[in-house]
Amino acid sequence: MKRTPKKAQRLKRKMCGISGVLTFNNRVPSPQIKQNITKMTARIRHRGPDGEGVWSDDCAGLGHTRLAIVDLSEHGAQPMIDEGKSGRVLTFNGEIYNHVELRHQLEALGHIFKGHCDTEVILRGYTQWGPKVLSRLRGMFAFAIWDPKARELFMVRDRMGQKPFFYSFCEDAFVFASEIKSLLAWPSIKRLPDYQAIDGYLSFGYTLGIKTGFENIHRLGAGQSMVVKSDGTFHINTYWAPPAPKSQSTGKPQDWINEFTHLLNESIRLRKVADVEVGAFLSGGVDSSAVCALLSKQNDARLSTFSVGFAREGYDETDAALSVATHLKTKHHSYTKDDRLLKDLTKIVWHYDMPYADSSALVSYGLSADIKKNVTVALSGDGADELLLGYPRYERLEALERENGPHDTPLNRRRLSPFPERKPDLLDAYVYSLEKFRERQKMASYEHRLLSTLKHPFSQSLRARFDLRDGAQLAAARLDLSSYLVDDILVKMDIASMAHGLEVRSPFLDHHLVEWVCQLPKHCRTLNQSPKALLKEAISPYLPNGITDRAKMGFRVPVGQWLKKELYDLAKKLLLEDERFAARGLLRPQFVAEMMDAHCQGVEEHGSRLWALLMLELWFRTFIDRDGSQPLDDAFVYN
């Protein structure tokens, strides 16, 4: 085989898809293990179109699809086998940004490397340090290591939850994969809805925590590792969590600005390494503008930047992105989307696997396809709002805290009237600001499948993660860091980008930067001025005047308008006329009909709720009514 040039072997970067199985009590013949793993791996080929690999023995199997960014040599092929005494086998999705440093440490300890990829560093590192290798890894990753001597699988998901990891225990095996559709290729997996998860989905528009919408299919949490033995026993360990804020700060504002700038610059430097061109998302907001500004400053060549708008008034901020791009002298690409995004609706439902109703996924999906035509790697600004208190809802919550104290607010007294035995508090107020279906709407609409979820308001499930000791803003931001960011924003970007073989890197989510920021008291992050003031002060010298003062907008699509016109017939057909939706026993059909009528007549806005129901029904038809092996065709949707 032709060897890759030395430059390409120097550093390996790739994004991939992984899959695997551990069978119990020799219940699955070896040839069947390999056959099924091959099918599982094929379902996520879009995550790694540059190559596939499958490995199996008498009780375990691992699969891998590869998107090559650097080092195309055979030394990076996966699953990777340790040819030494251990015989361990690794399948890995992600990037270890400090793998060169770790390689040098391991070489000093006597390890000999065959190639130059980060995959081999993980395998050798696990041999040297065992699970403690996790504390040394800097990057985003999900991987599994099969130890044939110990007869156990060791699995892990990165600290911030950037890379997905799904798993299930079924009657004959434990299976895992980067996407649920891969798990569903294992013959004994059952496709059953999880109604508790669906209740959470109707609250927020995405599936929270370890839940996926399927019974007996779960997610490994961010910062968690898992060991499963061949007898079916297992345990899960949390190896990392963001630190709590310190009670007091040291230093002066300029010291904080300097340290933040240093950490962000270092994070960007690590994430720009590739033997292909690295571009960047540029929305025109301060987060992506900051990444583009610092990346441009580090780059020798002109940076390629990418923005997107929607062809309706009030849904386009490409002018701001162009202003930043012109100032930074980037090679800028601006795209305009329109109602044609809807043609990808069934594909998007299939790609996301779980009930998922963040409508901006349509834009992210379309933009990722456009970016992939130009570059294979792009940096994003995800994570800055949660870390640096950028969402306006944080300030509104703090205002409630000042006015009413941490518990009783007029807002909550209205909302929680069905639960007079509970004293409402700021968590209820915060959840209220995020909800799609209110508790009162659930009370009025839920059918028998969902009635059992109404014993307690949904906010109760989040109480353990809402700590008010450092004030309302930090409590909300910390909750978002472990829920909204990991379960919505990062899911959206991972699926949208990997559907097109695009790798996205997020400098704000470097765990060194996250740990430093999370320990800062609130006034250090805002400099006692405004949301994200720390970032704005650090980056303002590199950006045009006015950019750091722009109100946050974000990607939006006009789902409310669509449901009155372009999507009206489809929503009416699937939610009202077809008997399947009513037969699912989720919501009273009359309530849905009244909601749609009120929305279309302009009496009350229900766009986000109707969109959530439409996406849920399409999910049922794709993954519960059918086997999820492919997106719905138009004939099945409309007939």
Short mmCIF file of all heavy atoms in Angstrom, two decimals, residues 412-420:
data_model
loop_
_atom_site.label_atom_id
_atom_site.label_comp_id
_atom_site.label_asym_id
_atom_site.label_seq_id
_atom_site.Cartn_x
_atom_site.Cartn_y
_atom_site.Cartn_z
N ASN A 412 -45.05 32.38 39.04
CA ASN A 412 -45.15 30.97 39.41
C ASN A 412 -46.49 30.65 40.06
O ASN A 412 -47.00 29.54 39.92
CB ASN A 412 -44.02 30.61 40.36
CG ASN A 412 -42.71 30.46 39.60
OD1 ASN A 412 -42.70 29.89 38.53
ND2 ASN A 412 -41.64 31.00 40.15
N ARG A 413 -47.06 31.59 40.78
CA ARG A 413 -48.37 31.31 41.39
C ARG A 413 -49.40 31.02 40.31
O ARG A 413 -50.26 30.16 40.45
CB ARG A 413 -48.80 32.50 42.26
CG ARG A 413 -48.10 32.52 43.62
CD ARG A 413 -48.84 33.43 44.59
NE ARG A 413 -48.78 34.83 44.18
CZ ARG A 413 -47.81 35.67 44.52
NH1 ARG A 413 -46.80 35.24 45.25
NH2 ARG A 413 -47.83 36.92 44.12
N ARG A 414 -49.31 31.76 39.20
CA ARG A 414 -50.23 31.48 38.08
C ARG A 414 -49.95 30.12 37.47
O ARG A 414 -50.85 29.35 37.20
CB ARG A 414 -50.08 32.56 36.99
CG ARG A 414 -50.68 33.89 37.36
CD ARG A 414 -50.88 34.72 36.11
NE ARG A 414 -49.68 34.81 35.30
CZ ARG A 414 -48.74 35.72 35.47
NH1 ARG A 414 -48.85 36.61 36.44
NH2 ARG A 414 -47.69 35.77 34.67
N ARG A 415 -48.69 29.86 37.24
CA ARG A 415 -48.33 28.67 36.50
C ARG A 415 -48.62 27.39 37.27
O ARG A 415 -49.06 26.39 36.71
CB ARG A 415 -46.85 28.72 36.14
CG ARG A 415 -46.35 27.43 35.53
CD ARG A 415 -44.87 27.53 35.22
NE ARG A 415 -44.44 26.25 34.64
CZ ARG A 415 -43.61 25.42 35.22
NH1 ARG A 415 -43.10 25.68 36.38
NH2 ARG A 415 -43.27 24.28 34.64
N LEU A 416 -48.38 27.41 38.55
CA LEU A 416 -48.41 26.16 39.31
C LEU A 416 -49.71 25.96 40.08
O LEU A 416 -49.74 25.23 41.07
CB LEU A 416 -47.22 26.11 40.27
CG LEU A 416 -45.86 25.93 39.55
CD1 LEU A 416 -44.73 26.00 40.54
CD2 LEU A 416 -45.82 24.62 38.79
N SER A 417 -50.77 26.57 39.63
CA SER A 417 -52.04 26.38 40.33
C SER A 417 -52.48 24.93 40.41
O SER A 417 -53.14 24.55 41.38
CB SER A 417 -53.13 27.23 39.64
OG SER A 417 -53.24 26.88 38.27
N PRO A 418 -52.13 24.04 39.43
CA PRO A 418 -52.51 22.63 39.60
C PRO A 418 -51.74 21.93 40.72
O PRO A 418 -52.05 20.81 41.07
CB PRO A 418 -52.15 22.01 38.24
CG PRO A 418 -52.07 23.15 37.29
CD PRO A 418 -51.56 24.29 38.11
N PHE A 419 -50.70 22.59 41.27
CA PHE A 419 -49.87 21.96 42.29
C PHE A 419 -49.80 22.85 43.53
O PHE A 419 -48.75 23.35 43.91
CB PHE A 419 -48.46 21.72 41.75
CG PHE A 419 -48.44 20.91 40.48
CD1 PHE A 419 -48.33 21.53 39.25
CD2 PHE A 419 -48.56 19.53 40.53
CE1 PHE A 419 -48.32 20.79 38.09
CE2 PHE A 419 -48.55 18.79 39.37
CZ PHE A 419 -48.44 19.41 38.14
N PRO A 420 -50.94 23.09 44.20
CA PRO A 420 -50.95 24.01 45.33
C PRO A 420 -50.12 23.53 46.51
O PRO A 420 -49.74 24.31 47.37
CB PRO A 420 -52.45 24.07 45.70
CG PRO A 420 -53.01 22.79 45.18
CD PRO A 420 -52.24 22.48 43.94
#
